[in-house]
Amino acid sequence: MSSGMKLKLLLALTASFLTTAVLADDKTLVVWDFKSSEPLMKPYFDIIKTTFEKNHPGVTVQEIAQPADTYYTVLGTAINAKQGPDVVLLNGGNLAIDRAGALVPLKSKFADVIPGLVGLSSFKTADGDYIAMPLTVQGSIWYYNKEVYKAAGLDPAKPPQTWKDFEAVCTAIKAKGDASCVTFGNKDGTDFINVIATIADGLWSADTRAKFMKHDMAWTSDDMRAVFAKAKEMIDNGWIENGVNSYSPYTDAVNILAGARTGNLLGLISDAPNSWKNIEDMTGEGGVGVALPPAIDQDPAANPKRLEVDGGIGFGITSWSTNQDLAVDFIKTAVSTEAALTLMQSAGGLPSNTKVDLSGLQSEAAKQVVGYLGCCSVDGRIKSNYVTAERAELQRVGQLLITGQTSVDDALQSIEQVRQKEIARKK
């Protein structure tokens, strides 16, 4: 064989070996979710995939958007078979925790990331580990219409910090006569559960709050009665928009605030229609302000942690995945500040990463919300700790309380009876 032929054969063999090596290194990371097909969320999931693949040559992300209504059924099939996705999207709370046995504990793998995240408690197991990293957070906060404040002679740059301030705001708005002070969407009792939790945020000490979260507090206790007394004060003083029991929190209540028919709206901080992005889109940039739940009978500085948050959705890693190191890097990309900014810009969601760079974001409301997230948030929401039967009864009596068809004492006794039945059932 001539030297030229030998050289050609060597080059061919080398090329073959290199091709084989590349193919051996090529990997596919399979990700399941129930959000990436949504138009507003797609840019967020796209940037995660693009950034990750750029940083991991030879690795392809296969993102499969499962139907939301059957997602956990399909995921259950994969768990039983121990095959399918490497990374799975989960809702915070029991939907994630109940599947902990099929997921990889993540605390040690994300030690460098965890200090900058909020909403972790929604994915925390009994042993203190985490089975998913939150991508978004949820919580209730007050939004206010700056034009209504100006018309009432109030400073729109100074939202109420205390209950006394809140009372002064409502008195001024009512005196003007063109708008109600407060609205929320209480169709089917939806928002009364948030009203109670928001009042408790401003009233209770950390110890009292922890006691309730552990289900060690009776609804007829003095601490809970004090919360309901403030809700009744709002009702009796005429602060609340007439007809809230028939309003949807996601459409009617938002339109009322945007139309300057009310001064204050109890809304959400997630990517919901009654969160900062949609509200600001309707009022115009700079038209909406953001305020923490007011401190009650205490110095606001002594209780700054008045914004309760839960993890909204989060990514976990399946126990059978053979690409766990890649999966960790994928999730770190998902919770990065760059991805977090895209989430806010596209969907209006509030990211779990409090270090997100807001310099490229025009929304003042968004900057205020993220600022509160960094300084004034506490993991875990009171409303998430109502058991199902309590929640249903709270929603029912809340509607009756607003229309004057029940008293505080009767409402509390009714919820406590439901609580006691639940305790007896579990014994």
Side-chain angles (χ1 to χ4, degrees):
M1 184 181 295
S2 67
S3 59
M5 287 294 291
K6 287 180 179 178
L7 178 59
K8 288 180 180 179
L9 180 59
L10 178 62
L11 290 174
L13 289 171
T14 301
S16 177
F17 287 140
L18 287 174
T19 301
T20 302
V22 169
L23 288 173
D25 287 342
D26 282 353
K27 289 186 177 181
T28 299
L29 188 73
V30 181
V31 179
W32 282 12
D33 71 78
F34 47 86
K35 298 287 281 185
S36 63
S37 61
E38 295 179 8
L40 294 180
M41 291 294 286
K42 191 175 186 302
Y44 169 62
F45 284 90
D46 284 350
I47 196 172
I48 298 169
K49 182 178 186 293
T50 301
T51 302
F52 176 81
E53 290 181 341
K54 181 180 178 182
N55 294 335
H56 296 78
V59 180
T60 300
V61 175
Q62 183 182 9
E63 194 142 42
I64 301 174
Q66 302 284 0
D69 57 345
T70 59
Y71 180 76
Y72 287 100
T73 301
V74 176
L75 180 58
T77 301
I79 290 172
N80 289 334
K82 291 184 170 53
Q83 61 182 19
D86 298 291
V87 178
V88 292
L89 189 66
L90 299 158
N91 293 101
N94 288 338
L95 286 171
I97 302 301
D98 289 350
R99 292 161 177 82
L103 301 167
V104 176
L106 301 180
K107 192 172 186 179
S108 63
K109 298 178 185 295
F110 287 84
D112 58 327
V113 173
I114 285 173
L117 302 181
V118 294
L120 285 156
S121 64
S122 297
F123 302 98
K124 190 174 185 178
T125 54
D127 62 1
D129 216 311
Y130 304 109
I131 42 79
M133 288 292 109
L135 308 180
T136 64
V137 294
Q138 299 175 337
S140 298
I141 203 164
W142 286 104
Y143 296 105
Y144 61 94
N145 187 304
K146 292 184 179 181
E147 289 303 317
V148 173
Y149 270 48
K150 289 177 185 177
L154 300 166
D155 185 347
K158 294 181 178 179
Q161 295 292 314
T162 67
W163 192 260
K164 186 176 180 180
D165 295 340
F166 201 68
E167 182 177 15
V169 164
C170 287
T171 299
I173 291 174
K174 280 189 65 180
K176 180 68 178 175
D178 296 331
S180 64
C181 182
V182 171
T183 199
F184 45 86
N186 205 42
K187 187 176 182 180
D188 300 321
T190 304
D191 257 351
F192 190 75
I193 59 176
N194 294 317
V195 171
I196 292 301
T198 303
I199 293 172
D201 291 337
L203 180 62
W204 286 348
S205 67
D207 289 343
T208 301
R209 183 174 178 277
K211 186 177 180 181
F212 179 83
M213 301 281 264
K214 293 177 183 176
H215 304 284
D216 289 338
M217 181 192 296
W219 284 88
T220 50
S221 67
D222 290 342
D223 288 316
M224 185 57 79
R225 192 179 303 277
V227 172
F228 269 67
K230 288 300 180 185
K232 189 67 162 56
E233 186 178 322
M234 294 175 71
I235 297 166
D236 291 346
N237 289 341
W239 296 356
I240 300 173
E241 174 93 13
N242 290 330
V244 292
N245 280 346
S246 62
Y247 296 157
S248 161
Y250 307 117
T251 53
D252 303 322
V254 177
N255 289 329
I256 289 169
L257 181 77
R261 287 170 48 195
T262 194
N264 302 277
L265 166 71
L266 185 60
L268 299 177
I269 58 174
S270 62
D271 56 336
N274 59 342
S275 69
W276 59 269
K277 190 176 190 300
N278 186 50
I279 295 172
E280 192 169 55
D281 285 347
M282 295 179 71
T283 62
E285 188 177 313
V288 61
V290 187
L292 289 171
I296 303 172
D297 300 334
Q298 58 184 312
D299 180 357
N303 178 22
K305 303 283 189 178
R306 303 195 304 276
L307 175 56
E308 294 185 317
V309 296
D310 278 337
I313 53 176
F315 273 137
I317 302 172
T318 57
S319 59
W320 61 81
S321 171
T322 58
N323 299 312
Q324 291 186 12
D325 289 342
L326 288 173
V328 168
D329 287 350
F330 179 82
I331 297 175
K332 286 185 177 181
T333 303
V335 299
S336 68
T337 55
E338 294 80 9
L341 180 58
T342 300
L343 173 68
M344 297 188 72
Q345 290 172 325
S346 63
L350 195 66
S352 59
N353 193 327
T354 61
K355 306 299 182 183
V356 57
D357 180 6
L358 298 174
S359 60
L361 199 64
Q362 297 299 313
S363 170
E364 286 302 317
K367 293 176 182 178
Q368 287 177 300
V369 174
V370 174
Y372 286 139
L373 192 66
C375 73
C376 308
S377 65
V378 58
D379 255 9
R381 299 172 71 190
I382 289 172
K383 65 162 286 185
S384 299
N385 279 264
Y386 304 140
V387 300
T388 302
E390 285 177 332
R391 179 191 294 267
E393 186 62 9
L394 177 58
Q395 290 178 238
R396 187 186 74 84
V397 300
Q399 285 207 310
L400 296 178
L401 197 65
I402 287 171
T403 55
Q405 294 175 278
T406 192
S407 66
V408 166
D409 284 342
D410 287 346
L412 291 172
Q413 287 172 9
S414 182
I415 305 171
E416 180 60 18
Q417 286 175 1
V418 168
R419 174 176 176 266
Q420 292 299 330
K421 287 180 181 178
E422 187 68 13
I423 291 172
R425 186 185 67 81
K426 290 182 176 181
K427 286 183 177 180

